[in-house]
């Protein structure tokens, strides 16, 4: 972002107006208030939508109690609606287009402090083509100039969001509460918000990470993006962090080792409708397998260290999917991204069905763990939470 000297407010708002009416607009938010003044709504959000009737500018306002959304036609109708909003004494405007981000803050003396950022397109990946249609989120989206991240991370996150797109029903409407567990730098958190909001969903997202420094950094970033009221961060463990109300959708990308089990157990406890968890390293079962001989005739599977580790990976995720099934979820394990981008490229994708497990499913799970003499961490966590169905 480039800082600048305060500018005359009228000229800056004229620039905002042009961006709001520009076909390249992706999203804009007005919020806050000028000194001694109070807008008639606490917040306004604008975004382009495509309806059966054609392109429209969607304007959602909130009076603090309830939201109000209307869709206005491009041209005179949109111009008039935008002028009404620009006349409100909002303290901040945050406007994003495909090419730029503009952030305007009205100073105490009534001038405009404007930050402008040009979206920088990431360099194409080596040996690959970087066409917009290869991505779910445009890599030129100004969001990425803010959140940074390597090309590999961006590719992982985009692929993760594609899996999310394939999981959520097309006709999903209504508020969607989302949590990203073990969010780290929050690349996925912010990208998920962008994707879900672009779908026109009323999204609230919470990122959880044990690191307080990440919470501070991510919270500040959410403010810079103008999303502070929609994307929040909590410092705490996946098992215990306060997330209220319970989320509908749980995301976890590479939460370390058994943190993935914590994420799955928490999702079950919340009764989340959808869970997408891409596991990271799997040390827990590998250590258990090392500690005892394999049952006959599987000794050859675990004698070599590397094979034992890989087998532990497979066994861990198979048991996770099996446990989710025993707790009313339809779970599948898929490759969400090419292994060239990350060796940790499996995704456990689950949808709550509420179905009670059959005796056969219970027996299948129990025989497998008894035979190997292992206790998956997820089973322990679910039992501790009183969710024993295995
Ligand atoms: C490998 S990073 C992945 C970060 C992010 N999801 C991504 O894909 O870029 C794992 C993150 O999980 C956090 N973490 C690990 N165990 C945790 C736990 N039990 N509770 C909360 N956060 C945890 C770590 O602090 C770290 O930021």
């Amino acid at each position: 972002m480039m800082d600048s000297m305060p500018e005359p407010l009228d000229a800056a708002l004229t620039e905002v107006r042009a961006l709001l009416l520009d076909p390249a607009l992706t999203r804009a938010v007005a919020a806050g208030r000028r000194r001694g003044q109070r807008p008639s709504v606490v917040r306004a959000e604008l975004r382009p939508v495509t309806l059966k009737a054609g392109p429209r500018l969607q304007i959602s306002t909130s009076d603090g109690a309830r939201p109000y959304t209307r869709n206005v036609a491009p041209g005179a109708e949109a111009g008039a609606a935008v002028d009404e909003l620009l006349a409100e004494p909002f303290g901040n405007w945050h406007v994003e287009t495909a090419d730029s981000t503009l952030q305007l803050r009205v100073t105490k003396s009534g001038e405009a402090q404007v930050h402008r950022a040009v979206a920088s397109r990431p360099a194409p990946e080596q040996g690959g083509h970087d066409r917009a249609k290869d991505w779910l989120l445009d890599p030129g989206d100004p969001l990425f100039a803010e959140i940074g991240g390597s090309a590999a991370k961006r590719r992982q996150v985009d692929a993760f969001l594609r899996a999310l797109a394939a999981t959520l029903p097309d006709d999903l409407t209504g508020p969607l509460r989302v949590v990203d567990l073990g969010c780290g730098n929050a690349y996925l958190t912010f990208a998920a918000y962008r994707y879900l909001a672009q779908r026109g969903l009323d999204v609230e997202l919470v990122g959880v990470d044990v690191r307080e420094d990440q919470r501070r950094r991510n919270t500040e970033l959410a403010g810079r993006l103008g999303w502070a009221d929609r994307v929040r961060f909590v410092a705490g463990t996946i098992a215990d962090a306060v997330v209220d109300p319970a989320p509908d959708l749980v995301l976890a990308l590479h939460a370390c080792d058994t943190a993935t089990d914590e994420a799955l157990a928490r999702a079950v406890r919340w009764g989340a409708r959808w869970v997408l968890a891409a596991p990271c390293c799997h040390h827990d079962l590998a250590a258990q397998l090392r500690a005892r001989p394999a049952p006959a005739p599987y000794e050859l599977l675990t004698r070599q260290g590397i094979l034992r580790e890989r087998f532990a990976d497979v066994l861990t995720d198979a048991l996770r999917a099996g446990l989710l099934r025993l707790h009313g979820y339809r779970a599948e394990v898929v490759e969400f991204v090419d292994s060239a981008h990350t060796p940790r490229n499996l995704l456990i994708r689950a949808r709550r069905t509420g179905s009670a497990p059959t005796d056969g499913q219970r027996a299948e799970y129990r025989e497998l763990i008894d035979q190997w003499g292992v206790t998956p961490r997820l089973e322990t966590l679910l039992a501790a939470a009183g969710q024993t169905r295995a």
Side-chain angles (χ1 to χ4, degrees), residues 192-208:
Y193 178 75
R194 164 67 101 223
Y195 165 67
L196 293 167
Q198 268 179 6
R199 271 185 63 160
L201 293 166
D202 173 10
V203 187
E204 278 183 32
L205 217 160
V206 179
V208 172

Side-chain angles (χ1 to χ4, degrees), residues 283 285-293 308-309:
H283 299 307
L285 281 198
Q288 294 187 38
L289 291 179
R290 216 173 23 246
R292 60 180 63 81
R308 186 174 56 237
E309 271 176 36

Side-chain angles (χ1 to χ4, degrees), residues 34-381:
R34 292 176 208 163
R35 196 181 202 185
Q37 300 183 65
R38 184 186 289 271
S40 64
V41 291
V42 291
R43 179 177 193 280
E45 180 161 351
L46 298 86
R47 66 161 66 98
V49 290
T50 306
L51 306 180
K52 280 209 181 74
R56 293 287 183 273
L57 182 64
Q58 184 172 81
I59 303 179
S60 309
T61 51
S62 169
D63 60 8
R66 60 188 59 207
Y68 170 69
T69 298
R70 65 195 168 124
N71 300 308
V72 295
E77 199 187 346
V82 161
D83 286 338
E84 263 175 47
L85 288 174
L86 289 170
E88 294 278 356
F90 287 117
N92 304 288
W93 273 94
H94 177 93
V95 188
E96 294 165 19
T97 73
D99 320 303
S100 63
T101 301
L102 180 148
Q103 209 159 310
L104 183 159
R105 184 175 64 80
V106 182
T107 64
K108 283 183 183 158
S109 55
E111 290 179 295
Q113 179 81 56
V114 185
H115 301 256
R116 299 176 178 85
V118 176
S120 56
R121 286 187 177 263
E125 286 167 50
Q126 273 191 339
H129 301 285
D130 199 22
R131 293 165 307 201
K133 72 178 178 54
D134 293 338
W135 299 81
L136 187 71
L137 284 182
D138 181 354
D141 189 311
L143 169 70
F144 296 112
E146 281 289 344
I147 65 176
S150 65
K153 186 70 213 161
R154 203 164 300 160
R155 181 55 85 184
Q156 278 171 41
V157 163
D158 200 76
F160 194 100
L161 293 179
R162 270 181 202 275
L164 174 61
T167 305
L168 298 178
D170 286 341
D171 57 357
L172 183 65
T173 53
L176 184 70
R177 305 201 189 269
V178 189
V179 70
D180 180 10
L181 298 174
C183 65
N185 272 337
Y187 300 127
L188 174 67
T189 327
F190 288 120
Y193 178 75
R194 164 67 101 223
Y195 165 67
L196 293 167
Q198 268 179 6
R199 271 185 63 160
L201 293 166
D202 173 10
V203 187
E204 278 183 32
L205 217 160
V206 179
V208 172
D209 201 285
V210 75
R211 286 176 50 183
E212 167 62 18
D213 60 328
Q214 295 286 45
R215 187 198 64 76
R216 275 201 305 274
R217 171 199 174 274
N218 295 336
T219 301
E220 200 224 316
L221 201 44
R224 282 217 302 278
L225 289 162
W227 296 351
D229 55 340
R230 297 269 138 185
V231 185
R232 337 186 257 112
F233 293 90
V234 176
T237 64
I238 292 170
D240 298 317
V242 176
V243 179
D244 188 27
D248 311 293
L249 167 64
V250 172
L251 310 177
L253 174 56
H254 297 158
C256 322
D257 196 10
T258 51
T260 294
D261 298 299
E262 286 181 28
L264 297 176
R266 196 87 203 262
V268 170
R269 263 160 60 200
W270 277 320
R273 290 177 69 186
W274 303 280
V275 187
L276 281 89
C280 198
C281 40
H282 302 65
H283 299 307
D284 179 38
L285 281 198
Q288 294 187 38
L289 291 179
R290 216 173 23 246
R292 60 180 63 81
Y298 302 116
E299 167 65 19
L300 285 174
L301 279 182
T302 56
R303 188 179 297 158
Q304 313 284 334
I306 182 66
L307 295 182
R308 186 174 56 237
E309 271 176 36
R310 290 191 184 179
F311 176 66
D313 286 6
V314 171
L315 187 59
T316 303
D317 289 330
L319 292 172
R320 285 169 169 161
L323 275 165
L324 286 170
R325 187 171 64 165
L326 297 185
H327 287 82
Y329 284 81
R330 187 190 172 89
E332 52 180 7
V333 182
V334 296
E335 270 193 359
F336 74 102
V337 67
D338 192 280
S339 59
H341 302 291
T342 169
R344 304 289 176 200
N345 67 338
L346 288 193
L347 175 70
I348 300 171
R349 186 160 69 169
R351 180 171 59 80
R352 196 188 67 213
T353 60
S355 308
T358 62
D359 289 346
Q361 289 168 345
R362 258 195 275 259
E364 189 179 32
Y365 171 82
R366 186 61 44 205
E367 277 166 27
L368 184 56
I369 59 161
D370 285 350
Q371 195 175 18
W372 282 92
V374 292
T375 307
R377 182 57 180 243
L378 180 56
E379 183 187 320
T380 309
L381 292 169

